[in-house]
Amino acid sequence: MPSNSLTVTDNRTGKSYELPITDGTVKAMDLRQIKTSDEDFGLMTYDPAFMNTAACRSAITFIDGDKGILEYRGFPIEELAERGTFLETAYLLLHGELPSKAQLEAYAKDIRYHTYVHTNIIKFLEGFRYDAHPMGTLLGVVGALSTFYPDAKDIGDPKNRYVQHIRLMAKLPTLAAFAFRHNRGLPYEFPSNDLGYIGNFVNMTFSIGGKHEPNKVLQRALEILLILHADHEQNCSTSAVRAVGSSHVDPFSAVSAGIAALYGPLHGGANEAVLRMLDEIDTKAGIPKFIESVKKGDGRLMGFGHRVYKSYDPRAKLIKKVAYDVFQQTGMNPKLEIAVELEQIALKDEYFIKRKLYPNVDFYSGLIYQAMGYPTDYFTVLFALGRLPGWLAQWEEMITDGEQKIARPRQVYTGPVRRPYVPVEKR
Ligand code: ACO
């Protein structure tokens, strides 16, 4: 009779242990009983970078990396991107169900009422150099928001948590737009609450003299990109939000940690790196030389490869289509041609095939952002706007999960054994 358990024999002692298997996992804590003596601490797992460790139970996002499937709360990403809105998606991630019309209107209204930020934030922004990287600015300003809302510390109250959710959803576009205008030396454009979530953000970035002609196709393209980025289960930035939030700090500080994690070139910063890479390749003729340099280990093909997807990233497929829609509006960009050819060459190359390296979400997104008029160092800010509802839903799930405690990994100590202190004159 097969049993849903794992039998482990410790060859050091000859003892056997039966460990329950639940949802395809064994509990790392169940290994602690495996000891060679009473003084032994017990067995631990060693898993740098969490390659094979589930750190939580989550009902938010499902990914099958081998099949290239991504679902939010059971809804395929393709359907949400084609037919949904960003606010519907944010609501879905938080509450687990798509909103009714009335629920969606109430949610959008709550957000609309919180789009303004305290004017002291503007003084704070002025402290940044004119060329400050907007991700550095954003993570600083979002962290600073915690000082404006000390009530956000009361994370045990569900109503209070919802208010902070609304504040973050409402204010991040305003702060992101302020960071954009700061780099340009343009006066900050305040929210226009008669515009929708996306329209208001685009207006706050591009409006000059209070005027901006909205382009519906580009706004819908931006909305699709935000939907595609809205959550991606336990990625680096979400894990940062969860780990920092597990100390029960306020959500502004936890989200600020997520923005910091996203800033890195191996995570959200990759879209920026893709554009720099395409600049470096320069023409289609430069592709073979570039591919050879990657294969020799001189850098990576940015926008390729993923920890979880070992086939085509489903988001990359959708984004490639959006890229063509956008370029129909803005005119063809020679860099798109280089990217398409680079993708074709890499997908046929043994090096990339063997390692299951396919385009990820960042491969085409930067090209689209650039066509919309956003500068390269702003791309990751747009990613952060998209990822915010995912961070917030995961934070809420973590806070309400009775199994969670403060995140505190173990280590294998490899330093010197105990030794006496030597005074400086004797060293
Ligand atoms: N170009 C060239 N080789 C690569 C690439 C790449 N983009 N990605 C992985 N490899 C190679 C590695 O050199 C390694 O080869 P080896 O086995 O010969 O040593 C092998 O593939 C496995 O790579 P790992 O680094 O172990 O894979 P990991 O899962 O840790 O990394 C990551 C995933 C960080 C995304 C990686 O593929 C990468 O650096 N890609 C480029 C950056 C990028 O596009 N990041 C965006 C990810 S999506 C997101 O965060 C939104």
Side-chain angles (χ1 to χ4, degrees):
M1 181 73 173
S3 146
N4 215 8
S5 65
L6 177 75
T7 302
V8 182
T9 303
D10 184 348
N11 294 322
R12 300 171 301 176
T13 59
K15 274 200 210 161
S16 280
Y17 304 81
E18 195 175 339
L19 312 180
I21 297 178
T22 314
D23 297 328
T25 65
V26 288
K27 281 199 169 162
M29 276 307 282
D30 284 348
L31 297 174
R32 192 67 79 69
Q33 60 183 310
I34 304 178
K35 299 180 176 198
T36 51
S37 67
D38 283 349
E39 291 76 53
D40 187 355
F41 183 74
L43 213 56
M44 295 191 296
T45 54
Y46 177 60
D47 189 11
F50 305 111
M51 297 284 286
N52 196 35
T53 295
C56 62
R57 292 173 174 279
S58 182
I60 301 174
T61 290
F62 172 77
I63 299 176
D64 184 327
D66 291 327
K67 296 196 184 118
I69 294 174
L70 170 60
E71 293 167 1
Y72 298 158
R73 302 277 192 187
F75 293 101
I77 191 65
E78 293 78 3
E79 287 183 31
L80 289 168
E82 199 182 326
R83 297 160 64 190
T85 66
F86 181 61
L87 285 192
E88 257 186 324
T89 305
Y91 184 101
L92 170 71
L93 289 171
L94 180 69
H95 296 287
E97 295 298 337
L98 284 166
S100 66
K101 199 163 177 279
Q103 285 167 329
L104 183 59
E105 273 165 17
Y107 182 59
K109 182 167 169 254
D110 285 347
I111 290 177
R112 220 169 25 245
Y113 272 78
H114 285 85
T115 49
Y116 270 64
V117 293
H118 195 289
T119 47
N120 280 10
I121 285 280
I122 292 172
K123 289 193 198 137
F124 185 67
L125 272 167
E126 277 160 8
F128 287 97
R129 273 176 54 133
Y130 72 97
D131 60 351
H133 194 291
M135 277 299 272
T137 305
L138 197 68
L139 79 90
V141 182
V142 171
L145 274 191
S146 73
T147 67
F148 290 83
Y149 303 109
D151 58 313
K153 286 186 181 21
D154 184 11
I155 58 143
D157 175 6
K159 281 200 192 115
N160 189 302
R161 288 199 303 273
Y162 180 71
V163 173
Q164 312 319 323
H165 170 103
I166 292 294
R167 282 181 174 151
L168 272 156
M169 283 294 296
K171 294 178 200 310
L172 197 69
T174 311
L175 296 174
F178 282 6
F180 179 86
R181 294 180 83 94
H182 178 84
N183 286 153
R184 274 160 189 68
L186 287 170
Y188 302 121
E189 178 74 27
F190 283 85
S192 298
N193 290 339
D194 50 333
L195 302 174
Y197 194 83
I198 310 287
N200 176 43
F201 168 70
V202 173
N203 188 63
M204 284 190 292
T205 48
F206 293 126
S207 171
I208 297 289
K211 289 199 188 97
H212 170 67
E213 200 54 55
N215 179 320
K216 292 280 170 227
V217 175
L218 297 191
Q219 286 196 11
R220 178 62 193 156
L222 181 58
E223 178 153 40
I224 293 174
L225 287 177
L226 298 190
I227 295 171
L228 295 180
H229 285 89
D231 194 48
H232 212 233
E233 49 123 299
Q234 307 312 313
N235 56 86
C236 178
S237 56
T238 302
S239 301
V241 172
R242 277 182 172 262
V244 172
S246 78
S247 75
H248 288 184
V249 74
D250 66 88
F252 298 101
S253 304
V255 166
S256 170
I259 297 173
L262 192 69
Y263 194 176
L266 295 189
H267 192 12
N271 52 20
E272 197 179 319
V274 169
L275 261 274
R276 300 199 202 288
M277 173 186 79
L278 295 175
D279 278 342
E280 186 192 318
I281 296 174
D282 193 32
T283 62
K284 281 196 207 171
I287 296 174
K289 188 166 151 248
F290 175 77
I291 294 269
E292 282 318 305
S293 72
V294 169
K295 284 159 65 176
K296 271 199 245 129
D298 295 341
R300 290 193 162 189
L301 173 47
M302 298 313 282
F304 255 65
H306 199 276
R307 171 62 59 78
V308 177
Y309 293 118
K310 298 303 169 196
S311 75
Y312 217 101
D313 180 337
R315 300 167 301 172
K317 258 188 212 156
L318 296 161
I319 285 182
K320 192 172 174 183
K321 189 183 163 297
V322 174
Y324 281 103
D325 294 347
V326 167
F327 285 120
Q328 266 193 349
Q329 295 281 311
T330 61
M332 194 63 183
N333 178 342
K335 284 209 196 94
L336 179 66
E337 289 174 22
I338 300 175
V340 171
E341 179 118 352
L342 182 58
E343 178 192 341
Q344 293 314 322
I345 293 177
L347 290 178
K348 284 190 210 122
D349 191 296
E350 191 50 30
Y351 175 95
F352 296 92
I353 295 171
K354 208 172 110 201
R355 290 169 179 77
K356 297 190 176 167
L357 300 170
Y358 292 85
N360 61 47
V361 67
D362 287 323
F363 194 67
Y364 287 105
S365 61
L367 284 165
I368 301 174
Y369 296 142
Q370 191 183 53
M372 289 172 173
Y374 293 107
T376 311
D377 63 3
Y378 198 68
F379 299 167
T380 317
V381 171
L382 297 165
F383 189 157
L385 281 185
R387 182 54 54 87
L388 179 67
W391 289 333
L392 292 171
Q394 299 270 353
W395 174 75
E396 176 71 25
E397 191 179 59
M398 184 269 305
I399 292 292
T400 51
D401 178 349
E403 277 191 312
Q404 291 296 332
K405 289 169 180 279
I406 186 166
R408 204 317 187 169
R410 291 277 172 181
Q411 65 164 12
V412 176
Y413 178 67
T414 60
V417 292
R418 191 184 180 97
R419 49 188 172 155
Y421 173 80
V422 181
V424 70
E425 56 281 4
K426 292 204 177 150
R427 276 176 234 153

